[in-house]
Amino acid sequence: MNERKIPVSENLEKLVLKLKNRADIFVVGGYVRNAAMGMGETDVDLASEISPDELKQLLKYSDFKVIDKSKKLGTVLIKIGDEEYEHTTFRKEEYDDSGKHRPEKAEFVSDIREDAKRRDFTCNCVYYNLTHRRYVDIYSGLYDISKSLIKCVETPTYVFQNDGLRILRMVRQAAELNYKIDKSTYFTAKSMTYRLKDISGQRKLNELKLILYADQKYSISKPKAHLKALNMFNDLRLFPLFYVPCDRVKLTMLKKVKMEDRFVALLIDIVNAVNPDCVEYYLKDLLGSNGLCMGKAGDEYIKIVCGYFDALNRRNNKEYFFKYFDNFNIIREYLKYTNKKLYEKYNFFYRYILNQKIPVRIKDLNIDGNDIKKALPKLEEKNISKILKQLLDEVFANEIANEKSELIKEVKKIGNSRNY
């Protein structure tokens, strides 16, 4: 293929000049791959035989700021103005028996071939010597780039044995770049998906989110790239490694929704595939600390998905909107794709509640706990919430008006009848 010269910023030129008397500086990875394809730039990953401590000394009195990122792996961030580069010292790695992604031991080396051996795919393993402006292509990566091919640098068994996360990177990059996958690479990955068991839920989630938006990554990314990737999940049987107890997930909802709705759509498709006894319980497990580790962010997704399925199960209006009113503006979009009659039914009540300003939350009442304490001075604190819930029920049912004076009267009436 035509070996394109790689564009270099003025600041990066300055960095190379400062270091050229010590060692050649290389850029490697996505930046080189994309430049070779004539595409836009990505993050700048630099590599050389210079150690982090020596790099700090060499740049000590310059405009460049060097910040440690991983001393063990020899990785630092080099910052100047708005630009940032990640520099890693050439190294070779040793992994333990797990597939947990991080090497157990790293040894700094001066041989670029040893550094290349630790990388994943040939398309990501083309080095560009910034000092002398030439490619260093140890594994014929430029040829594979010209063929739009993802292929392991060493034997696929060696590559995936060292790092299970590379299987997900293979799927994601094939989708983002619209690349084919070398047969040996693909079928070895299929036989080694167990290497993902040791990868944390958070890392899996990060890759999954990138996959869901694979069609947005590059100008060459295809409109349905995310579906291509998740169909590979089905073929490779990856879903069980994402805490989904079934081999395949039909991507029915995911095919219908807008881009911003994809994660919820995938959760809906997963629930339909799993068919759990309790949707909420299953999703808490899937998104919680024993699963994808979403933390509090997962709670919102759980409420939306549960609201969708509760609507399909025709939960009564009062219970439904007391629980899901704040989320219904989002939930209704998914209902629209599935059951238009149910969408129209629930949306009618939603709009009615909005237009008539009917309270569906405690905070919507024109009374609060302090008002109740004044009306019932001897009331125990634990009973305040009970009274507020009763008032909400009565106002929603139009049994009393949501006016403070009327609510106070009702509070006193409740207090006298129940001997609070």
Side-chain angles (χ1 to χ4, degrees), residues 156-388:
T157 300
Y158 174 84
V159 169
F160 297 130
Q161 185 73 20
N162 285 343
D163 181 358
L165 195 67
R166 288 169 173 170
I167 295 172
L168 298 184
R169 283 170 54 82
M170 174 193 78
V171 171
R172 171 171 60 81
Q173 291 187 4
E176 291 174 344
L177 295 163
N178 193 32
Y179 271 28
K180 305 178 292 293
I181 301 174
D182 166 72
K183 286 184 179 179
S184 178
T185 295
Y186 187 82
F187 287 111
T188 303
K190 192 170 187 176
S191 70
M192 295 183 70
T193 55
Y194 64 90
R195 301 302 288 170
L196 280 161
K197 287 181 180 178
D198 298 316
I199 303 297
S200 71
Q202 183 62 61
R203 284 190 179 277
K204 291 176 187 176
L205 176 65
N206 290 343
E207 284 294 326
L208 180 60
K209 285 182 174 179
L210 291 172
I211 284 167
L212 280 171
Y213 302 98
D215 61 328
Q216 304 296 309
K217 181 69 173 179
Y218 301 117
S219 59
I220 63 167
S221 301
K222 296 297 182 182
K224 296 181 180 180
H226 60 298
L227 296 175
K228 171 184 175 179
L230 289 168
N231 279 321
M232 273 193 270
F233 266 49
N234 281 329
D235 186 63
L236 293 167
R237 304 294 192 264
L238 289 177
F239 278 110
L241 281 307
F242 279 75
Y243 320 105
V244 179
C246 57
D247 286 339
R248 301 183 67 84
V249 173
K250 287 185 179 179
L251 307 174
T252 307
M253 182 65 79
L254 191 60
K255 290 176 181 177
K256 299 175 181 178
V257 300
K258 296 176 290 187
M259 182 183 68
E260 60 269 24
D261 298 330
R262 287 177 185 171
F263 188 70
V264 170
L266 179 59
L267 290 178
I268 289 171
D269 286 335
I270 286 171
V271 169
N272 278 326
V274 174
N275 193 24
D277 292 334
C278 175
V279 173
E280 185 173 3
Y281 179 84
Y282 170 69
L283 289 176
K284 282 182 178 179
D285 197 47
L286 174 66
L287 304 181
S289 58
N290 293 322
L292 296 175
C293 304
M294 289 199 74
K296 289 185 177 179
D299 294 342
E300 193 74 4
Y301 290 116
I302 291 170
K303 204 146 195 180
I304 292 167
V305 176
C306 287
Y308 167 82
F309 282 102
D310 274 358
L312 292 185
N313 290 326
R314 293 170 169 78
R315 191 166 183 171
N316 76 63
N317 291 331
K318 186 184 85 170
E319 289 179 1
Y320 187 85
F321 284 108
F322 277 12
K323 187 170 184 178
Y324 298 117
F325 182 80
D326 289 336
N327 305 95
F328 187 74
N329 197 37
I330 300 171
I331 294 167
R332 63 180 175 179
E333 295 304 309
Y334 300 96
L335 282 177
K336 195 187 298 183
Y337 291 116
T338 305
N339 189 318
K340 285 190 177 179
K341 284 187 177 179
L342 278 177
Y343 160 77
E344 289 168 359
K345 172 197 168 186
Y346 281 99
N347 195 49
F348 171 82
F349 283 106
Y350 176 69
R351 295 182 66 82
Y352 182 78
I353 288 166
L354 281 175
N355 292 335
Q356 299 299 316
K357 298 181 180 179
I358 298 172
V360 291
R361 300 158 298 197
I362 297 293
K363 66 180 182 180
D364 296 332
L365 293 171
N366 288 322
I367 191 172
D368 59 25
N370 290 327
D371 297 320
I372 293 174
K373 282 182 182 178
K374 287 178 184 177
L376 300 172
K378 295 181 180 180
L379 183 70
E380 293 183 31
E381 194 79 26
K382 65 180 182 180
N383 292 317
I384 292 176
S385 62
K386 293 179 184 178
I387 292 178
L388 286 169

